[in-house]
mmCIF file of all heavy atoms in Angstrom:
data_model
loop_
_atom_site.group_PDB
_atom_site.id
_atom_site.type_symbol
_atom_site.label_atom_id
_atom_site.label_comp_id
_atom_site.label_asym_id
_atom_site.label_seq_id
_atom_site.Cartn_x
_atom_site.Cartn_y
_atom_site.Cartn_z
ATOM 1 N N ARG D 1 98.785 111.529 102.886
ATOM 2 C CA ARG D 1 98.270 110.170 102.681
ATOM 3 C C ARG D 1 97.363 110.096 101.452
ATOM 4 O O ARG D 1 96.296 109.479 101.465
ATOM 5 C CB ARG D 1 97.543 109.648 103.919
ATOM 6 C CG ARG D 1 97.334 108.138 103.895
ATOM 7 C CD ARG D 1 96.932 107.539 105.209
ATOM 8 N NE ARG D 1 96.554 106.152 105.101
ATOM 9 C CZ ARG D 1 97.398 105.135 104.898
ATOM 10 N NH1 ARG D 1 98.697 105.379 104.790
ATOM 11 N NH2 ARG D 1 96.970 103.886 104.818
ATOM 12 N N GLN D 2 97.815 110.730 100.401
ATOM 13 C CA GLN D 2 97.140 110.643 99.120
ATOM 14 C C GLN D 2 98.110 110.072 98.092
ATOM 15 O O GLN D 2 99.318 110.053 98.309
ATOM 16 C CB GLN D 2 96.632 112.023 98.687
ATOM 17 C CG GLN D 2 95.553 112.574 99.610
ATOM 18 C CD GLN D 2 95.043 113.929 99.166
ATOM 19 O OE1 GLN D 2 95.718 114.655 98.450
ATOM 20 N NE2 GLN D 2 93.847 114.278 99.601
ATOM 21 N N VAL D 3 97.576 109.619 96.983
ATOM 22 C CA VAL D 3 98.387 108.947 95.967
ATOM 23 C C VAL D 3 98.864 109.952 94.931
ATOM 24 O O VAL D 3 98.066 110.704 94.365
ATOM 25 C CB VAL D 3 97.597 107.817 95.289
ATOM 26 C CG1 VAL D 3 98.419 107.191 94.168
ATOM 27 C CG2 VAL D 3 97.190 106.763 96.310
ATOM 28 N N ALA D 4 100.170 109.955 94.691
ATOM 29 C CA ALA D 4 100.774 110.765 93.636
ATOM 30 C C ALA D 4 101.606 109.841 92.757
ATOM 31 O O ALA D 4 102.454 109.102 93.266
ATOM 32 C CB ALA D 4 101.653 111.862 94.237
ATOM 33 N N LEU D 5 101.359 109.870 91.455
ATOM 34 C CA LEU D 5 102.084 109.014 90.521
ATOM 35 C C LEU D 5 103.081 109.854 89.737
ATOM 36 O O LEU D 5 102.754 110.945 89.264
ATOM 37 C CB LEU D 5 101.106 108.337 89.558
ATOM 38 C CG LEU D 5 100.019 107.472 90.204
ATOM 39 C CD1 LEU D 5 99.107 106.877 89.140
ATOM 40 C CD2 LEU D 5 100.630 106.373 91.062
ATOM 41 N N ALA D 6 104.301 109.329 89.618
ATOM 42 C CA ALA D 6 105.372 110.045 88.929
ATOM 43 C C ALA D 6 105.839 109.221 87.738
ATOM 44 O O ALA D 6 106.309 108.093 87.903
ATOM 45 C CB ALA D 6 106.536 110.303 89.885
ATOM 46 N N VAL D 7 105.702 109.783 86.544
ATOM 47 C CA VAL D 7 106.133 109.090 85.326
ATOM 48 C C VAL D 7 107.000 110.038 84.510
ATOM 49 O O VAL D 7 107.011 111.249 84.722
ATOM 50 C CB VAL D 7 104.939 108.604 84.480
ATOM 51 C CG1 VAL D 7 104.016 107.721 85.307
ATOM 52 C CG2 VAL D 7 104.159 109.779 83.898
ATOM 53 N N ALA D 8 107.727 109.470 83.559
ATOM 54 C CA ALA D 8 108.588 110.268 82.696
ATOM 55 C C ALA D 8 108.690 109.607 81.334
ATOM 56 O O ALA D 8 108.300 108.449 81.153
ATOM 57 C CB ALA D 8 109.971 110.435 83.319
ATOM 58 N N SER D 9 109.234 110.355 80.386
ATOM 59 C CA SER D 9 109.397 109.821 79.036
ATOM 60 C C SER D 9 110.467 108.754 78.969
ATOM 61 O O SER D 9 110.414 107.861 78.123
ATOM 62 C CB SER D 9 109.754 110.959 78.069
ATOM 63 O OG SER D 9 108.718 111.905 78.005
ATOM 64 N N SER D 10 111.459 108.841 79.860
ATOM 65 C CA SER D 10 112.572 107.893 79.844
ATOM 66 C C SER D 10 112.819 107.356 81.243
ATOM 67 O O SER D 10 112.447 107.976 82.240
ATOM 68 C CB SER D 10 113.850 108.581 79.335
ATOM 69 O OG SER D 10 114.292 109.553 80.267
ATOM 70 N N GLY D 11 113.480 106.188 81.295
ATOM 71 C CA GLY D 11 113.801 105.590 82.579
ATOM 72 C C GLY D 11 114.768 106.436 83.381
ATOM 73 O O GLY D 11 114.691 106.490 84.615
ATOM 74 N N ILE D 12 115.699 107.105 82.709
ATOM 75 C CA ILE D 12 116.680 107.936 83.401
ATOM 76 C C ILE D 12 115.988 109.091 84.111
ATOM 77 O O ILE D 12 116.263 109.388 85.280
ATOM 78 C CB ILE D 12 117.730 108.467 82.401
ATOM 79 C CG1 ILE D 12 118.558 107.306 81.850
ATOM 80 C CG2 ILE D 12 118.629 109.503 83.060
ATOM 81 C CD1 ILE D 12 119.541 107.710 80.764
ATOM 82 N N ALA D 13 115.065 109.755 83.422
ATOM 83 C CA ALA D 13 114.326 110.851 84.042
ATOM 84 C C ALA D 13 113.436 110.344 85.175
ATOM 85 O O ALA D 13 113.281 111.007 86.203
ATOM 86 C CB ALA D 13 113.481 111.569 82.989
ATOM 87 N N ALA D 14 112.862 109.164 85.005
ATOM 88 C CA ALA D 14 111.974 108.605 86.029
ATOM 89 C C ALA D 14 112.724 108.342 87.330
ATOM 90 O O ALA D 14 112.165 108.492 88.421
ATOM 91 C CB ALA D 14 111.332 107.318 85.522
ATOM 92 N N ARG D 15 113.999 107.977 87.236
ATOM 93 C CA ARG D 15 114.786 107.658 88.428
ATOM 94 C C ARG D 15 115.047 108.878 89.294
ATOM 95 O O ARG D 15 115.426 108.752 90.460
ATOM 96 C CB ARG D 15 116.110 107.021 88.021
ATOM 97 C CG ARG D 15 115.968 105.612 87.457
ATOM 98 C CD ARG D 15 117.302 105.066 86.988
ATOM 99 N NE ARG D 15 118.246 104.906 88.087
ATOM 100 C CZ ARG D 15 118.339 103.821 88.849
ATOM 101 N NH1 ARG D 15 117.515 102.808 88.632
ATOM 102 N NH2 ARG D 15 119.213 103.741 89.816
ATOM 103 N N ASN D 16 114.841 110.059 88.749
ATOM 104 C CA ASN D 16 115.047 111.281 89.526
ATOM 105 C C ASN D 16 113.877 111.591 90.452
ATOM 106 O O ASN D 16 113.947 112.543 91.234
ATOM 107 C CB ASN D 16 115.277 112.477 88.590
ATOM 108 C CG ASN D 16 116.611 112.399 87.872
ATOM 109 O OD1 ASN D 16 117.591 111.894 88.418
ATOM 110 N ND2 ASN D 16 116.656 112.909 86.642
ATOM 111 N N MET D 17 112.792 110.830 90.339
ATOM 112 C CA MET D 17 111.611 111.064 91.164
ATOM 113 C C MET D 17 111.341 109.837 92.032
ATOM 114 O O MET D 17 111.439 108.706 91.551
ATOM 115 C CB MET D 17 110.396 111.337 90.278
ATOM 116 C CG MET D 17 110.534 112.541 89.370
ATOM 117 S SD MET D 17 109.058 112.815 88.343
ATOM 118 C CE MET D 17 109.177 111.413 87.204
ATOM 119 N N ALA D 18 111.000 110.053 93.280
ATOM 120 C CA ALA D 18 110.663 108.943 94.173
ATOM 121 C C ALA D 18 109.464 108.192 93.626
ATOM 122 O O ALA D 18 108.420 108.792 93.351
ATOM 123 C CB ALA D 18 110.360 109.473 95.575
ATOM 124 N N GLY D 19 109.619 106.882 93.440
ATOM 125 C CA GLY D 19 108.528 106.078 92.900
ATOM 126 C C GLY D 19 108.307 106.264 91.420
ATOM 127 O O GLY D 19 107.289 105.827 90.886
ATOM 128 N N GLY D 20 109.257 106.889 90.733
ATOM 129 C CA GLY D 20 109.085 107.174 89.319
ATOM 130 C C GLY D 20 109.234 105.957 88.432
ATOM 131 O O GLY D 20 109.985 105.032 88.734
ATOM 132 N N THR D 21 108.510 105.949 87.334
ATOM 133 C CA THR D 21 108.617 104.907 86.327
ATOM 134 C C THR D 21 108.299 105.532 84.965
ATOM 135 O O THR D 21 107.916 106.707 84.906
ATOM 136 C CB THR D 21 107.648 103.741 86.622
ATOM 137 O OG1 THR D 21 107.901 102.665 85.716
ATOM 138 C CG2 THR D 21 106.194 104.173 86.482
ATOM 139 N N THR D 22 108.477 104.789 83.908
ATOM 140 C CA THR D 22 108.173 105.363 82.595
ATOM 141 C C THR D 22 106.659 105.409 82.387
ATOM 142 O O THR D 22 105.907 104.611 82.954
ATOM 143 C CB THR D 22 108.806 104.537 81.463
ATOM 144 O OG1 THR D 22 108.235 103.224 81.455
ATOM 145 C CG2 THR D 22 110.316 104.447 81.633
ATOM 146 N N ALA D 23 106.231 106.334 81.554
ATOM 147 C CA ALA D 23 104.802 106.452 81.264
ATOM 148 C C ALA D 23 104.268 105.181 80.613
ATOM 149 O O ALA D 23 103.148 104.748 80.895
ATOM 150 C CB ALA D 23 104.561 107.662 80.353
ATOM 151 N N HIS D 24 105.080 104.566 79.750
ATOM 152 C CA HIS D 24 104.638 103.335 79.089
ATOM 153 C C HIS D 24 104.399 102.219 80.097
ATOM 154 O O HIS D 24 103.456 101.434 79.963
ATOM 155 C CB HIS D 24 105.660 102.896 78.037
ATOM 156 C CG HIS D 24 105.498 103.584 76.721
ATOM 157 N ND1 HIS D 24 106.027 104.833 76.459
ATOM 158 C CD2 HIS D 24 104.841 103.219 75.583
ATOM 159 C CE1 HIS D 24 105.712 105.189 75.225
ATOM 160 N NE2 HIS D 24 104.995 104.234 74.668
ATOM 161 N N SER D 25 105.264 102.136 81.128
ATOM 162 C CA SER D 25 105.100 101.085 82.132
ATOM 163 C C SER D 25 103.890 101.346 83.024
ATOM 164 O O SER D 25 103.093 100.438 83.295
ATOM 165 C CB SER D 25 106.363 100.975 82.993
ATOM 166 O OG SER D 25 107.450 100.511 82.236
ATOM 167 N N MET D 26 103.747 102.580 83.497
ATOM 168 C CA MET D 26 102.635 102.888 84.404
ATOM 169 C C MET D 26 101.293 102.737 83.704
ATOM 170 O O MET D 26 100.357 102.131 84.237
ATOM 171 C CB MET D 26 102.784 104.321 84.931
ATOM 172 C CG MET D 26 101.595 104.829 85.744
ATOM 173 S SD MET D 26 101.202 103.799 87.195
ATOM 174 C CE MET D 26 102.657 104.140 88.212
#
């Protein structure tokens, strides 16, 4: 029950992680 943020350089890479988004968006 803690917060973990998942970001990536690209949208395609972000989709491989639950809750992932691009670094620019987050």
